[in-house]
Structures are given as structure tokens and as C-alpha cells.
Amino acid sequence: MIEASIPVGSPEQLILLFGTSDQHLRRIRESTEAKISTRGGKIHLSGPESAVLQATAIFEQMRSTIGSEGALMPHQVDEIINNVVGNSPKSNTKPVDVKRAGRTVRARTPGQEAYIEAIRNHDLVFCIGPAGTGKTYLAVATAIEALKAQQIRKIVLVRPAVEAGESLGYLPGDLLSKINPYLRPLLDALGEMIDYDQVKRYMADDVIEVVPLAYMRGRTLNNAFIIMDEAQNTTVSQMKMFLTRMGSNSKVVVSGDTSQVDLPSHTRSGLTDAIARLKRIPGCAQVILSRDDIVRHRLVEAIVKAYEEGTG
């Protein structure tokens, strides 16, 4: 049994370390055998030597993250804990090069590793998985990486404008205003990786284009990285139209969640059809993410599991 203490700079830093309602503290206690308390402006640790050393390393890495980013998100705490206690295998996948404000995009699960590697090594990638697995985020990150490396000249972000139980016609504004909510997740992912002003410049220069699926007809996209999000809401004919827009030196990533189809009943999803139809085509990869790849709030995994298992 040993003891250790970690000085805390201020009450505000202690709140950041322990998290809202002590959620970070609970995760550390669940993952190590160390006893943790606070007094005199310090965090006090006691218990078996290995547990105290692990808890100390976790807190030190958390302090470093707060120092560099000014905040600490639950998924970052989980990643730090996994790295320290050895619950996650060491990644062999090179981080995605979209550094901004000291951040680097990394795969955080084996499934995400497989997804990034598939995108880097194939011209056409299909990815299906539940909410929170990083389907859109990692696709956008790899697209920006390819743009920075001058492997492509343009990023095209596409989404079908299918209503999830709501009527598009009653939304106020012109067509652009109406489709904006459907394209927002793609813009949010962009905004986390590129400065807002840079995004505006790219869009003004047509380096980044965000477009509803219906506007893709008749086009051929060369030297482009094309991402379709929410692809489960395409019909078979729409998916065929989209995939045949692919030009020379282009890459296409198609992602969606086949458990959240908003198409009319008895309408086959173009994503489901394409995965079955194109699975043997050379140069085409398919990645299936699961609950184990969810990296949002820990409750998201529990919610997905509850819906998969049906009502009680």
C-alpha cells in the first residue's frame, strides 16, 4: 500500500478534473483500485502501488489535456484511462493529419482503424454502423487529409434530403434554407477540423461543396473526395446515380445506419442494396461498425443497445 498526492491549482481545475457531477472521478474509480479524496488543495491517492501509479498517470494526463485545450471531454477521459490501464490495443494506424489547435484525429477503436485504412487504400468504401461510431467525422477527416496532401482538388459532401418524420415543405425560407438542416452534421464535422473562415474560403472557391443528393444528377466529379452521409435514406436508383458520378482520380465514401431508414415502407434502401450488389467488386471495401465503436457519450451505447434488443 502506498500514498501519493497531486496539487490542484484552483477549485475550477478540480471541477474540470473530476467532471460534471464527478463523472470523470467515477470512471477513474471504476478503472483502478486507488482510493481518491481531496483536501488542502490536493488530490490524495492511496492503495496498491500499481493502482496509485495508474491513477496518478491518469490525472497527470488529464491535467496536460486541460492545459493544452482548456477543457476535458468524457471521451478524452475514457481514452486516457484505456491507454494507462491497458484496456485498448495500441493502434498501428497513422493518425489522420488534420491538426488544429494541437488536436490530432486518431482511431479510437479497432473498427475505426479498419475504416480509416479502408478509405486510404480503396477508391470506394461503404461503412454502416450505429450513431456515434464516427462514420461521418472520420470520413471528413480523411478527406481533409487528402486535400492537404494535394491528392485531390475538391471535397464534395452529399446528403439525401429525406425527412425523419417531419415535413420539409413547411420549413421557412428558400431551398438552401430548407436543406441546411440536413447538411448541418457535415458542416459541423468540417468546423471541428478547419477554421470557420477557411471553410468559407474553400466553399467560395468551390474547393468544398456541400450539396443535396438530387443536385448530383448529370455530373462527373474528377479529382474529388466525395462523401455521402445518411446513405440509408437513398433509393436503389438514387444510389446508382450517385455512384456513377465518380470520375478519374476520385474517392467515394458512403456511410449510413441501416437501423434508421426514413424511406417509405416497402422501399428498399440503396445502401443495403449496394452493399449486397457490389461486395465482390475489386477496389470496393465494406466496413461494419458496431456498438463497440461508439465514441460519443457513454449513454449512446446503452441507448443503441436498448433499441437493438427491442422493448421490454
Side-chain angles (χ1 to χ4, degrees):
M1 302 286 286
I2 65 169
E3 295 183 359
S5 62
I6 301 171
V8 180
S10 65
E12 291 75 19
Q13 186 182 47
L14 184 63
I15 292 172
L16 289 173
L17 284 170
F18 281 8
T20 305
S21 302
D22 290 345
Q23 60 175 323
H24 302 340
L25 177 60
R26 288 197 301 273
R27 288 287 293 115
I28 298 170
R29 284 174 170 163
E30 290 169 1
S31 304
T32 71
E33 298 178 23
K35 293 182 179 180
I36 306 169
S37 61
T38 60
R39 64 180 182 274
K42 295 181 180 180
I43 298 173
H44 294 270
L45 311 169
S46 63
E49 181 177 1
S50 60
V52 171
L53 292 175
Q54 286 179 344
T56 300
I58 290 168
F59 277 118
E60 290 297 343
Q61 289 189 31
M62 290 167 64
R63 288 176 63 184
S64 176
T65 300
I66 292 171
S68 62
E69 301 184 16
L72 190 63
M73 302 299 292
H75 70 80
Q76 293 173 305
V77 176
D78 288 340
E79 186 173 355
I80 290 170
I81 291 172
N82 287 336
N83 288 337
V84 171
V85 303
N87 288 340
S88 59
K90 187 173 179 62
S91 172
N92 293 318
T93 299
K94 184 179 70 173
V96 183
D97 184 15
V98 291
K99 294 184 182 68
R100 179 188 174 192
R103 298 184 184 184
T104 300
V105 176
R106 296 178 183 273
R108 289 166 49 200
T109 69
Q112 289 189 343
E113 283 190 38
Y115 185 32
I116 291 173
E117 290 298 326
I119 294 173
R120 284 172 170 165
N121 296 316
H122 296 80
D123 289 336
L124 174 59
V125 176
F126 292 95
C127 179
I128 60 173
T133 50
K135 301 184 298 295
T136 302
Y137 189 85
L138 293 175
V140 171
T142 50
I144 294 171
E145 177 184 56
L147 183 66
K148 288 179 62 177
Q150 298 184 338
Q151 296 170 357
I152 47 107
R153 296 180 182 174
K154 180 181 178 105
I155 297 174
V156 181
L157 307 175
V158 183
R159 225 178 180 213
V162 174
E163 299 130 6
E166 300 179 58
S167 176
L168 183 64
Y170 288 104
L171 291 174
D174 56 17
L175 178 60
L176 186 60
S177 300
K178 289 183 177 186
I179 65 174
N180 186 65
Y182 295 95
L183 305 174
R184 190 77 250 169
L186 294 166
L187 294 172
D188 288 344
L190 271 176
E192 289 195 29
M193 302 174 206
I194 305 178
D195 290 331
Y196 177 70
D197 289 340
Q198 182 67 58
V199 172
K200 287 200 302 183
R201 286 193 294 270
Y202 277 152
M203 294 182 76
D205 295 339
D206 206 33
V207 175
I208 294 178
E209 181 181 5
V210 186
V211 59
L213 176 61
Y215 286 31
M216 293 289 289
R217 191 174 299 278
R219 301 182 62 181
T220 300
L221 296 169
N222 299 316
N223 302 302
F225 195 121
I226 313 153
I227 300 170
M228 187 205 279
D229 190 34
E230 298 291 336
Q232 75 274 6
N233 288 327
T234 61
T235 64
V236 174
S237 60
Q238 286 175 329
M239 180 62 77
K240 177 184 176 183
M241 180 273 290
F242 169 77
L243 293 176
T244 53
R245 302 308 93 201
M246 187 178 186
S248 61
N249 192 40
S250 287
K251 188 182 291 284
V252 172
V253 178
V254 181
S255 68
D257 180 356
T258 52
S259 71
Q260 297 192 44
V261 177
D262 298 313
L263 294 169
S265 57
H266 308 300
T267 300
R268 182 168 172 78
S269 167
L271 177 58
T272 303
D273 176 82
I275 285 174
R277 191 185 298 267
L278 307 178
K279 61 185 177 182
R280 292 186 177 87
I281 292 182
C284 173
Q286 299 181 4
V287 179
I288 299 176
L289 302 177
S290 68
R291 291 200 311 262
D292 294 336
D293 299 300
I294 293 175
V295 293
R296 285 186 191 163
H297 193 290
R298 284 187 294 149
L299 278 177
V300 173
E301 183 176 356
I303 291 167
V304 170
K305 180 179 180 182
Y307 276 93
E308 285 180 351
E309 293 176 350
T311 58

